[in-house]
Amino acid sequence: MKPIQVGLLGIGTVGGGTFEVLKRNQEEIQRRAGRGIEVTMVADLDVARAKSIVGANVQVVDDARKVIANPDIDIVVELIGGYGIAKQLVLEAIEAGKHVVTANKALLAVHGTEIFAAAHKKGVMVAFEAAVAGGIPIIKALREGLTANRIQWLAGIINGTTNFILSEMRDKGLTFDDVLKQAQALGYAEADPTFDIEGVDAAHKVTLMSAIAFGVPVQFDKAYVEGITKLEAQDIKYAEQLGYRIKLLGISKRTPAGIELRVHPCLVPAKRLIANVEGAMNAVMVHADAVGTTLYYGKGAGSEPTASAVIADLVDITRLHTADPLNRVPHLAFQPDAMSSLPILPIAQVVTSYYLRLRVADQAGVLAKVTGILANADISIDAVLQREAGEGESHTDLIILTHDCVEAKMNQAIAEMQQLSTVLAPITRIRKEELN
Ligand code: HSE
């Protein structure tokens, strides 16, 4: 059978890796897919650079629409990124009857509903393993491997840049700003790292995982997103003294009232495997009723790890493209007419536990007043740590860990504590998850 023909839109880091791995492992991949998979056309604005990567046997153009218009191309791989032209091209490729593979988490988290509906109507596949956690096959695991289960929650370190920064802050006691500058100098962080450090990239990814885990539409606009820019080195140190590490987690949970969908820094018990995921590595924990807790770990970015995910999708499409569309795995794991309308909960309705740090006057009765406010709000305390005041200091830090409570109650309690004349600075609040 003649090889299936692939057109790449963009041949940067991931496109180059995809081309290289397909070439290097072509025999192994063909034995799995049942036929060859060949990149026969590439669109890139830098034609000369693209030609230097793919050689003379691959047609290189500077106009992506020429790839989409080529009747010989079976699968279009979108590696442009962003919501702009990429959205247009993906929709045009679907309309042209092409299957699409994309690593574009932003596009699918924001416009997934429209894109999956268009693909469903046209009977083509849109595959996106590379969009979440790079080389970790988490989409495959959630959508197929765990299909017997009622999934209860998932939590992941799904942004390597921020995990690298947090690891360095903990290891070396450095500030966020210092580590970010170093990471940029070393090329680990983007020149404009906003999407990473503000939690937006992680929120795109957890939005996709949540949709597949619970069978709800992709709803990035309802996700709660908080990054790591305000984290202070002292909180990482205090957390450690209490047996916790701070990680930026993407969390989604099913509750009777709705779905929690949130990204924020989070205390995690140091003894959990996920708390020990360091540097730019990614990991996702999934808790489901039949299997219990599973953990997926690996490289969340980079040329060949991401290419590994792109090619897995190419193989899936190669095997399934002749199948009746109704018998394929649905885009979001659940049949489109069986999606749940469970709402995404606002952050005020989320239930979690908390780490609080209060800068307080070191005088009698302060602790009683603070704990009194928590008791009145029916918030139970799990642990308290007080820094010994330094020589000549008239203030100290009070660290409180609480048990679970609804966020709205905690907001109220923090507002009341902040009014106390003995609370000398804005209160730091970091959410905590036991993940057990
Ligand atoms: N910028 C992402 C990260 C990789 O730092 O993990 C691509 O999603």
Side-chain angles (χ1 to χ4, degrees):
M1 203 185 296
K2 90 178 190 2
I4 202 148
Q5 298 200 23
V6 177
L8 299 185
L9 309 187
I11 186 151
T13 311
V14 177
T18 301
F19 185 79
E20 172 60 30
V21 176
L22 267 178
K23 198 168 64 168
R24 188 171 76 227
N25 295 345
Q26 59 179 312
E27 191 207 323
E28 197 93 344
I29 291 168
Q30 178 162 353
R31 283 170 56 212
R32 292 192 168 109
R35 69 192 273 200
I37 300 175
E38 275 179 12
V39 173
T40 54
M41 197 168 180
V42 171
D44 199 288
L45 291 177
D46 192 340
V47 171
R49 203 183 132 274
K51 279 188 173 159
S52 75
I53 296 169
V54 298
N57 295 333
V58 177
Q59 189 186 352
V60 178
V61 293
D62 64 359
D63 179 359
R65 291 194 165 93
K66 289 195 177 137
V67 177
I68 294 169
N70 182 341
D72 294 331
I73 295 291
D74 304 294
I75 309 173
V76 169
V77 181
E78 182 274 309
L79 298 170
I80 297 166
Y83 328 95
I85 186 68
K87 178 186 175 197
Q88 208 51 44
L89 293 171
V90 164
L91 288 172
E92 286 177 25
I94 290 168
E95 192 49 38
K98 312 291 186 198
H99 302 288
V100 173
V101 173
T102 179
N104 193 336
K105 62 230 83 176
L107 174 64
L108 294 181
V110 176
H111 299 292
T113 301
E114 180 184 351
I115 288 168
F116 295 132
H120 184 68
K121 194 164 140 217
K122 203 74 193 175
V124 296
M125 289 172 270
V126 174
F128 55 98
E129 183 66 69
V132 182
I136 305 175
I138 188 63
I139 300 298
K140 191 83 166 176
L142 287 170
R143 196 159 56 176
E144 299 178 50
L146 299 177
T147 200
N149 290 265
R150 188 174 161 84
I151 295 174
Q152 283 142 347
W153 56 260
L154 57 88
I157 296 171
I158 42 181
N159 183 269
T161 305
T162 45
N163 203 51
F164 171 81
I165 293 173
L166 293 178
S167 299
E168 290 288 292
M169 285 174 74
R170 187 180 75 83
D171 262 6
K172 303 188 177 144
L174 297 172
T175 65
F176 169 79
D177 288 330
D178 286 343
V179 181
L180 177 62
K181 272 186 213 128
Q182 274 185 17
Q184 282 173 311
L186 292 167
Y188 294 155
E190 310 271 349
D192 178 2
T194 313
F195 265 29
D196 291 320
I197 61 178
E198 297 294 358
V200 178
D201 175 73
H204 288 145
K205 293 167 182 167
V206 76
T207 297
L208 291 172
M209 290 196 290
S210 173
I212 293 171
F214 305 119
V216 294
V218 283
Q219 297 165 80
F220 171 72
D221 57 328
K222 306 233 174 78
Y224 174 78
V225 190
E226 183 184 318
I228 63 166
T229 53
K230 296 190 178 70
L231 262 188
E232 293 186 34
Q234 56 177 323
D235 293 313
I236 294 177
K237 216 168 64 200
Y238 287 136
E240 189 130 42
Q241 286 173 27
L242 290 158
Y244 291 85
R245 300 244 169 110
I246 299 181
K247 295 291 183 187
L248 182 72
L249 291 188
I251 298 170
S252 191
K253 286 188 191 178
R254 185 206 300 261
T255 79
I259 305 287
E260 294 182 5
L261 181 60
R262 49 193 168 102
V263 170
H264 51 72
C266 197
L267 270 75
V268 180
K271 62 187 175 203
R272 299 267 175 273
L273 282 175
I274 198 166
N276 295 280
V277 171
E278 299 289 8
M281 299 303 281
N282 281 200
V284 182
M285 276 175 98
V286 183
H287 186 76
D289 65 344
V291 73
T293 304
T294 52
L295 175 69
Y296 309 83
Y297 170 83
K299 288 189 178 154
S303 173
E304 293 205 0
T306 313
S308 165
V310 168
I311 296 168
D313 282 344
L314 292 174
V315 170
D316 262 358
I317 292 174
T318 303
R319 287 172 177 149
L320 289 173
H321 78 292
T322 52
D324 176 350
L326 293 177
N327 291 333
R328 294 180 190 143
V329 184
H331 290 112
L332 294 178
F334 292 74
Q335 299 297 337
D337 60 358
M339 297 295 278
S340 163
S341 58
L342 263 181
I344 305 292
L345 296 174
I347 190 68
Q349 287 181 35
V350 160
V351 173
T352 187
S353 55
Y354 296 86
Y355 160 104
L356 304 174
R357 175 171 53 81
L358 295 84
R359 171 60 55 95
V360 293
D362 191 15
Q363 63 190 50
V366 173
L367 184 59
K369 280 198 183 130
V370 166
T371 54
I373 289 172
L374 291 171
N376 279 342
D378 204 21
I379 297 171
S380 168
I381 293 172
D382 181 30
V384 178
L385 175 74
Q386 183 175 325
R387 179 176 65 80
E388 212 176 307
E391 183 95 6
E393 265 183 354
S394 58
H395 59 79
T396 187
D397 290 331
L398 196 56
I399 319 300
I400 300 175
L401 299 186
T402 75
H403 289 297
D404 279 354
C405 73
V406 68
E407 176 119 348
K409 261 192 191 177
M410 180 52 79
N411 291 343
Q412 180 62 32
I414 289 177
E416 279 179 43
M417 290 187 282
Q418 200 68 74
Q419 293 303 312
L420 297 173
S421 60
T422 45
V423 173
L424 307 174
I427 296 170
T428 295
R429 165 245 306 267
I430 305 173
R431 297 173 191 86
K432 173 166 90 61
E433 291 287 335
E434 292 298 325
L435 302 179
N436 53 13

Tab-separated table of all heavy atoms in Angstrom, residues 302-328:
chain	number	residue	atom	x	y	z
A	302	GLY	N	10.128	19.793	24.117
A	302	GLY	CA	11.354	19.415	23.419
A	302	GLY	C	11.032	18.768	22.086
A	302	GLY	O	9.924	18.271	21.859
A	303	SER	N	12.020	18.790	21.231
A	303	SER	CA	11.825	18.377	19.845
A	303	SER	C	11.345	16.921	19.717
A	303	SER	O	10.234	16.651	19.251
A	303	SER	CB	13.151	18.587	19.104
A	303	SER	OG	13.080	18.077	17.819
A	304	GLU	N	12.142	15.985	20.140
A	304	GLU	CA	11.769	14.577	19.906
A	304	GLU	C	10.707	14.053	20.874
A	304	GLU	O	9.851	13.270	20.455
A	304	GLU	CB	13.021	13.695	19.875
A	304	GLU	CG	13.871	14.034	18.654
A	304	GLU	CD	14.764	12.899	18.173
A	304	GLU	OE1	14.768	11.811	18.763
A	304	GLU	OE2	15.479	13.121	17.170
A	305	PRO	N	10.701	14.480	22.160
A	305	PRO	CA	9.577	14.038	22.996
A	305	PRO	C	8.226	14.473	22.419
A	305	PRO	O	7.267	13.699	22.404
A	305	PRO	CB	9.841	14.717	24.351
A	305	PRO	CG	11.324	14.884	24.373
A	305	PRO	CD	11.724	15.186	22.952
A	306	THR	N	8.148	15.692	21.932
A	306	THR	CA	6.863	16.146	21.372
A	306	THR	C	6.602	15.451	20.039
A	306	THR	O	5.459	15.088	19.729
A	306	THR	CB	6.857	17.685	21.229
A	306	THR	OG1	7.334	18.256	22.449
A	306	THR	CG2	5.459	18.203	20.941
A	307	ALA	N	7.678	15.217	19.258
A	307	ALA	CA	7.522	14.481	17.999
A	307	ALA	C	6.989	13.077	18.268
A	307	ALA	O	6.186	12.539	17.489
A	307	ALA	CB	8.871	14.395	17.280
A	308	SER	N	7.414	12.486	19.365
A	308	SER	CA	6.931	11.152	19.729
A	308	SER	C	5.397	11.154	19.812
A	308	SER	O	4.729	10.224	19.337
A	308	SER	CB	7.564	10.758	21.078
A	308	SER	OG	6.917	9.667	21.650
A	309	ALA	N	4.847	12.206	20.411
A	309	ALA	CA	3.391	12.308	20.540
A	309	ALA	C	2.728	12.586	19.187
A	309	ALA	O	1.689	12.010	18.852
A	309	ALA	CB	3.045	13.410	21.538
A	310	VAL	N	3.344	13.463	18.395
A	310	VAL	CA	2.778	13.776	17.069
A	310	VAL	C	2.719	12.500	16.223
A	310	VAL	O	1.704	12.193	15.568
A	310	VAL	CB	3.641	14.845	16.345
A	310	VAL	CG1	3.260	14.959	14.874
A	310	VAL	CG2	3.503	16.203	17.036
A	311	ILE	N	3.784	11.709	16.265
A	311	ILE	CA	3.838	10.510	15.420
A	311	ILE	C	2.873	9.441	15.932
A	311	ILE	O	2.268	8.702	15.137
A	311	ILE	CB	5.293	9.989	15.315
A	311	ILE	CG1	6.143	11.064	14.600
A	311	ILE	CG2	5.352	8.667	14.556
A	311	ILE	CD1	7.640	10.835	14.664
A	312	ALA	N	2.690	9.364	17.242
A	312	ALA	CA	1.681	8.423	17.768
A	312	ALA	C	0.322	8.747	17.166
A	312	ALA	O	-0.443	7.845	16.789
A	312	ALA	CB	1.637	8.512	19.291
A	313	ASP	N	0.011	10.038	17.069
A	313	ASP	CA	-1.263	10.439	16.435
A	313	ASP	C	-1.281	10.078	14.952
A	313	ASP	O	-2.310	9.654	14.418
A	313	ASP	CB	-1.469	11.952	16.597
A	313	ASP	CG	-1.964	12.333	17.989
A	313	ASP	OD1	-2.438	11.446	18.717
A	313	ASP	OD2	-1.880	13.526	18.319
A	314	LEU	N	-0.147	10.256	14.272
A	314	LEU	CA	-0.098	9.913	12.837
A	314	LEU	C	-0.358	8.416	12.649
A	314	LEU	O	-1.072	8.007	11.717
A	314	LEU	CB	1.267	10.297	12.239
A	314	LEU	CG	1.563	11.797	12.136
A	314	LEU	CD1	2.994	12.031	11.669
A	314	LEU	CD2	0.586	12.485	11.184
A	315	VAL	N	0.191	7.604	13.539
A	315	VAL	CA	-0.011	6.149	13.434
A	315	VAL	C	-1.484	5.812	13.698
A	315	VAL	O	-2.099	5.026	12.962
A	315	VAL	CB	0.925	5.392	14.410
A	315	VAL	CG1	0.560	3.911	14.480
A	315	VAL	CG2	2.381	5.565	13.993
A	316	ASP	N	-2.056	6.426	14.728
A	316	ASP	CA	-3.481	6.189	15.025
A	316	ASP	C	-4.342	6.512	13.810
A	316	ASP	O	-5.240	5.754	13.441
A	316	ASP	CB	-3.930	7.101	16.178
A	316	ASP	CG	-3.917	6.375	17.510
A	316	ASP	OD1	-3.594	5.176	17.530
A	316	ASP	OD2	-4.215	7.029	18.528
A	317	ILE	N	-4.083	7.656	13.204
A	317	ILE	CA	-4.907	8.073	12.058
A	317	ILE	C	-4.682	7.127	10.885
A	317	ILE	O	-5.628	6.748	10.179
A	317	ILE	CB	-4.596	9.543	11.678
A	317	ILE	CG1	-5.086	10.466	12.798
A	317	ILE	CG2	-5.262	9.917	10.345
A	317	ILE	CD1	-4.721	11.927	12.615
A	318	THR	N	-3.443	6.705	10.701
A	318	THR	CA	-3.140	5.781	9.604
A	318	THR	C	-3.929	4.477	9.770
A	318	THR	O	-4.469	3.922	8.819
A	318	THR	CB	-1.615	5.494	9.575
A	318	THR	OG1	-0.947	6.739	9.449
A	318	THR	CG2	-1.234	4.587	8.424
A	319	ARG	N	-4.017	4.016	11.007
A	319	ARG	CA	-4.758	2.769	11.256
A	319	ARG	C	-6.270	2.958	11.125
A	319	ARG	O	-6.978	2.047	10.728
A	319	ARG	CB	-4.484	2.282	12.681
A	319	ARG	CG	-3.108	1.711	12.898
A	319	ARG	CD	-2.950	1.471	14.387
A	319	ARG	NE	-1.692	0.845	14.727
A	319	ARG	CZ	-1.049	1.058	15.884
A	319	ARG	NH1	-1.545	1.892	16.766
A	319	ARG	NH2	0.073	0.440	16.129
A	320	LEU	N	-6.758	4.138	11.495
A	320	LEU	CA	-8.210	4.312	11.667
A	320	LEU	C	-8.892	5.096	10.552
A	320	LEU	O	-10.116	5.216	10.554
A	320	LEU	CB	-8.490	5.044	12.995
A	320	LEU	CG	-8.225	4.232	14.255
A	320	LEU	CD1	-8.379	5.107	15.487
A	320	LEU	CD2	-9.192	3.055	14.332
A	321	HIS	N	-8.111	5.647	9.614
A	321	HIS	CA	-8.781	6.591	8.718
A	321	HIS	C	-9.793	5.916	7.796
A	321	HIS	O	-10.712	6.571	7.301
A	321	HIS	CB	-7.768	7.435	7.928
A	321	HIS	CG	-7.138	6.741	6.783
A	321	HIS	ND1	-6.266	5.701	6.945
A	321	HIS	CD2	-7.253	6.927	5.444
A	321	HIS	CE1	-5.868	5.281	5.750
A	321	HIS	NE2	-6.457	6.014	4.838
A	322	THR	N	-9.660	4.591	7.601
A	322	THR	CA	-10.657	3.918	6.758
A	322	THR	C	-11.831	3.385	7.591
A	322	THR	O	-12.795	2.857	7.049
A	322	THR	CB	-10.016	2.739	5.996
A	322	THR	OG1	-9.342	1.913	6.943
A	322	THR	CG2	-9.047	3.215	4.935
A	323	ALA	N	-11.725	3.511	8.927
A	323	ALA	CA	-12.814	2.997	9.785
A	323	ALA	C	-14.033	3.917	9.693
A	323	ALA	O	-13.903	5.110	9.412
A	323	ALA	CB	-12.336	2.933	11.232
A	324	ASP	N	-15.186	3.350	9.951
A	324	ASP	CA	-16.407	4.141	10.041
A	324	ASP	C	-16.201	5.203	11.130
A	324	ASP	O	-15.869	4.848	12.276
A	324	ASP	CB	-17.539	3.175	10.421
A	324	ASP	CG	-18.854	3.877	10.655
A	324	ASP	OD1	-18.863	5.126	10.709
A	324	ASP	OD2	-19.864	3.175	10.788
A	325	PRO	N	-16.376	6.495	10.810
A	325	PRO	CA	-16.139	7.542	11.817
A	325	PRO	C	-16.876	7.283	13.131
A	325	PRO	O	-16.384	7.644	14.197
A	325	PRO	CB	-16.640	8.817	11.143
A	325	PRO	CG	-16.487	8.551	9.680
A	325	PRO	CD	-16.715	7.064	9.495
A	326	LEU	N	-18.012	6.627	13.064
A	326	LEU	CA	-18.770	6.383	14.303
A	326	LEU	C	-18.089	5.355	15.202
A	326	LEU	O	-18.403	5.259	16.384
A	326	LEU	CB	-20.191	5.916	13.969
A	326	LEU	CG	-21.073	6.967	13.306
A	326	LEU	CD1	-22.431	6.398	12.957
A	326	LEU	CD2	-21.226	8.188	14.217
A	327	ASN	N	-17.174	4.591	14.618
A	327	ASN	CA	-16.478	3.577	15.419
A	327	ASN	C	-15.105	4.024	15.892
A	327	ASN	O	-14.374	3.248	16.496
A	327	ASN	CB	-16.338	2.274	14.620
A	327	ASN	CG	-17.682	1.612	14.427
A	327	ASN	OD1	-18.578	1.794	15.243
A	327	ASN	ND2	-17.843	0.883	13.341
A	328	ARG	N	-14.743	5.263	15.596
A	328	ARG	CA	-13.453	5.762	16.078
A	328	ARG	C	-13.593	6.242	17.520
A	328	ARG	O	-14.703	6.488	17.993
A	328	ARG	CB	-12.984	6.937	15.214
A	328	ARG	CG	-12.676	6.529	13.784
A	328	ARG	CD	-12.208	7.775	13.023
A	328	ARG	NE	-12.117	7.509	11.601
A	328	ARG	CZ	-12.439	8.391	10.657
A	328	ARG	NH1	-12.881	9.603	10.977
A	328	ARG	NH2	-12.315	8.078	9.389
